[in-house]
Amino acid sequence: MFGGKSLFGSVKVSGSKNGSLPVMAATLLFNSPVFLSNVPYLLDVDTMAKIISSLGGRVEFKGNSQVLIDPSNVSSYEPPLEPVIAMRASFLVAGALLARFGKAKVALPGGCAIGSRPVDIHLKGFEMLGAKRSIEHGFVNLECEKLKGANIYLPYPSVGATENLIMASVFAEGMTVIDNAAKEPEIVGLSDFLNLCGAKIKGAGSRTIEIEGVRSLHSIDNYTIIPDRIEAGTLMLAGAITKGDIFLEKISCDFLESVIEKMTEAGIEVLPEKNGIRVRCKSRPKPVTIKTSPHPGFPTDMQAQFMALLSVGDGTSVITEMVFENRYLHAEELNRLGADIRIDGRTAVVVGVDHLSGAPVRALDLRAGAALVIAGLVAEGETRVFGLSHLNRGYENLEFKLKNLGASISKEVLS
Ligand code: UD1
């Protein structure tokens, strides 16, 4: 890619990756086909589809972001090792399989580049619902006679644990209360989907979620996945860093308050309009202070992209990463482009520079890759981003969308 072109025009935000994965996992609770729309076609979505197929389900991508999942013939509670260790969110099938079969055998997802990412909170919750668990040869074995509703307090509002426990308790006898639950919009999406199909879940989006067990779920004609707030935020910053003027279709500001607050502080104009958001920026971003935290705080999934923006800011910014212990893999790569970023533990000090210069860089995780693409949009000369597989995990047609907005980018250089 060659930096220096301002982005202009309109871009459509895809369906949410993190919204699709739990809903896809939740289809394992059904005995009839489920039709989903606005599902982005991504590597992670494909991985989840492979897991469902390997368990005996049928997954058909219909084109136009529609997916039909028929879980009627799911007969196994043991997903294969490979897709599970390839993607941490695969562990989301554990709750649904436990609810359906009273059993699940799922590989421990293990660590990943951005941190150790244990599943202790998920497992403790399953135990409180009455499951016995053991860990042998790298697999978690869960087993129960009948799951029973319980009061579960999460020591940390883990997104995945909240989703897994919602799925596990949908058929549990009596009432389950999850306290200190995650409040992310994707949790609301999962609960809305399950409620439309007959579940009784109250309070999603707040710290306390109540689930009254039901006997079965029924299909609905269609469930539309919520828009991807992280893709939207990424595109907004791409527009802003290039001093462009772009319009994001199919997204509201509701999902993005904390990111928009920081963009506004940085001097970027974010204008809510009918059916979308307009983003304009005319000058170098002003420095800001950012601390990531669970929703509604500033999302860790936007930290890397904001760091790219602030690397060309007019002053010194400070970022503190509070969710993952090792999520600064992009900092050294941004420095290769001429940024001035110093990391000390969980804190990053970003001294804004007046220009970046293109270089070969490596995407070491998904959002780190997005940050490098954003930086490459303004770096003088050519930037080659290696590690395309990370970007493909979470962004649908990113290079196409940026190209349509006027960026000089092609997949060949995103290798
Ligand atoms: C989800 C998102 C991911 C996002 C993250 C935080 C999906 C598919 N992924 O990941 O994009 O970055 O939320 O917003 O939705 N933790 C434990 N024990 C546990 C579970 C989590 O210690 O049992 C810790 C993790 O190590 C991490 C923190 O809690 O430090 C947040 O993790 P969690 O909220 O569970 O994130 P994920 O669900 O994995």
Side-chain angles (χ1 to χ4, degrees):
M1 60 194 293
F2 290 87
K5 294 207 170 150
S6 297
L7 302 189
F8 290 99
S10 205
V11 60
K12 191 173 148 236
V13 176
S14 295
S16 163
K17 167 181 90 74
N18 289 352
S20 301
L21 297 174
V23 169
M24 290 177 78
T27 63
L28 294 168
L29 295 164
F30 290 72
N31 281 316
S32 49
V34 178
F35 192 77
L36 305 175
S37 56
N38 206 30
V39 180
Y41 191 68
L42 303 167
L43 216 54
D44 278 7
V45 164
D46 197 48
T47 302
M48 186 57 88
K50 283 197 176 107
I51 292 174
I52 296 169
S53 308
S54 69
L55 295 169
R58 187 165 61 86
V59 184
E60 263 181 58
F61 289 91
K62 298 269 190 196
N64 206 15
S65 309
Q66 297 178 323
V67 183
L68 178 74
I69 303 180
D70 184 356
S72 335
N73 293 326
V74 167
S75 54
S76 165
Y77 53 84
E78 292 187 36
L81 180 67
E82 231 172 70
V84 175
I85 54 174
M87 175 180 81
R88 179 181 161 85
S90 306
F91 200 71
L92 288 174
V93 299
L97 290 172
L98 184 62
R100 179 168 176 149
F101 293 107
K103 278 181 182 179
K105 183 176 178 185
V106 187
L108 274 170
C112 69
I114 63 174
S116 60
R117 306 185 84 173
V119 285
D120 54 318
I121 302 173
H122 305 231
L123 299 184
K124 186 81 196 140
F126 292 145
E127 267 183 339
M128 295 194 73
L129 291 171
K132 289 204 178 81
R133 58 127 166 174
S134 60
I135 298 178
E136 274 166 20
H137 311 297
F139 283 82
V140 176
N141 293 293
L142 298 164
E143 207 167 339
C144 66
E145 287 284 318
K146 174 91 188 92
L147 291 173
K148 292 213 169 97
N151 289 341
I152 305 170
Y153 178 83
L154 306 186
Y156 181 89
S158 154
V159 176
T162 304
E163 292 167 342
N164 240 336
L165 294 172
I166 288 175
M167 291 186 258
S169 51
V170 157
F171 300 143
E173 204 176 286
M175 184 71 92
T176 299
V177 180
I178 307 174
D179 233 322
N180 200 29
K183 293 160 82 167
E184 268 67 2
E186 293 74 23
I187 310 267
V188 180
L190 172 67
S191 304
D192 284 350
F193 165 64
L194 290 169
N195 281 341
L196 285 168
C197 302
K200 290 193 176 162
I201 304 165
K202 278 193 206 151
S206 76
R207 278 283 173 251
T208 305
I209 301 178
E210 293 175 1
I211 303 119
E212 190 185 330
V214 294
R215 280 180 186 279
S216 62
L217 296 174
H218 56 80
S219 290
I220 45 168
D221 288 348
N222 172 44
Y223 177 74
T224 305
I225 299 292
I226 58 171
D228 197 311
R229 63 194 169 104
I230 304 301
E231 188 207 15
T234 304
L235 292 166
M236 286 161 95
L237 295 186
I241 200 170
T242 65
K243 301 200 180 90
D245 184 345
I246 65 170
F247 181 73
L248 277 80
E249 300 165 30
K250 283 202 161 193
I251 187 96
S252 85
C253 293
D254 294 350
F255 295 119
L256 284 156
E257 287 97 344
S258 56
V259 175
I260 292 175
E261 191 185 314
K262 290 297 165 187
M263 289 176 73
T264 308
E265 240 180 276
I268 299 162
E269 280 183 87
V270 181
L271 311 161
E273 289 183 10
K274 204 176 161 218
N275 297 329
I277 309 174
R278 183 169 176 195
V279 179
R280 272 195 309 218
C281 184
K282 294 191 182 110
S283 50
R284 276 176 75 184
K286 291 185 210 138
V288 296
T289 301
I290 287 176
K291 195 176 194 176
T292 66
S293 62
H295 193 78
F298 189 94
T300 175
D301 284 352
M302 283 300 301
Q303 178 259 107
Q305 303 90 311
F306 226 104
M307 185 184 281
L309 175 88
L310 297 173
S311 72
V312 291
D314 194 7
T316 300
S317 300
V318 178
I319 299 177
T320 313
E321 172 56 58
M322 296 301 291
V323 180
F324 291 107
E325 69 269 24
N326 188 29
R327 202 167 198 181
Y328 284 134
L329 299 170
H330 42 284
E332 268 312 305
E333 298 301 304
L334 288 170
N335 284 346
R336 287 167 63 80
L337 297 172
D340 181 354
I341 302 164
R342 273 160 243 179
I343 306 294
D344 184 7
R346 287 190 177 267
T347 304
V349 177
V350 185
V351 181
V353 295
D354 63 9
H355 77 284
L356 298 175
S357 67
V361 282
R362 277 183 311 155
L364 294 166
D365 78 55
L366 166 57
R367 307 301 171 188
L372 295 171
V373 170
I374 288 175
L377 291 172
V378 288
E380 283 168 13
E382 189 183 13
T383 296
R384 295 178 76 88
V385 182
F386 294 91
L388 183 59
S389 58
H390 286 295
L391 268 178
N392 288 345
R393 278 192 43 216
Y395 288 95
E396 191 177 48
N397 296 328
L398 183 63
E399 75 290 344
F400 174 79
K401 290 184 181 186
L402 292 174
K403 204 173 181 165
N404 268 357
L405 292 170
S408 170
I409 185 168
S410 70
K411 210 162 194 164
E412 292 75 58
V413 295
L414 289 174
S415 48

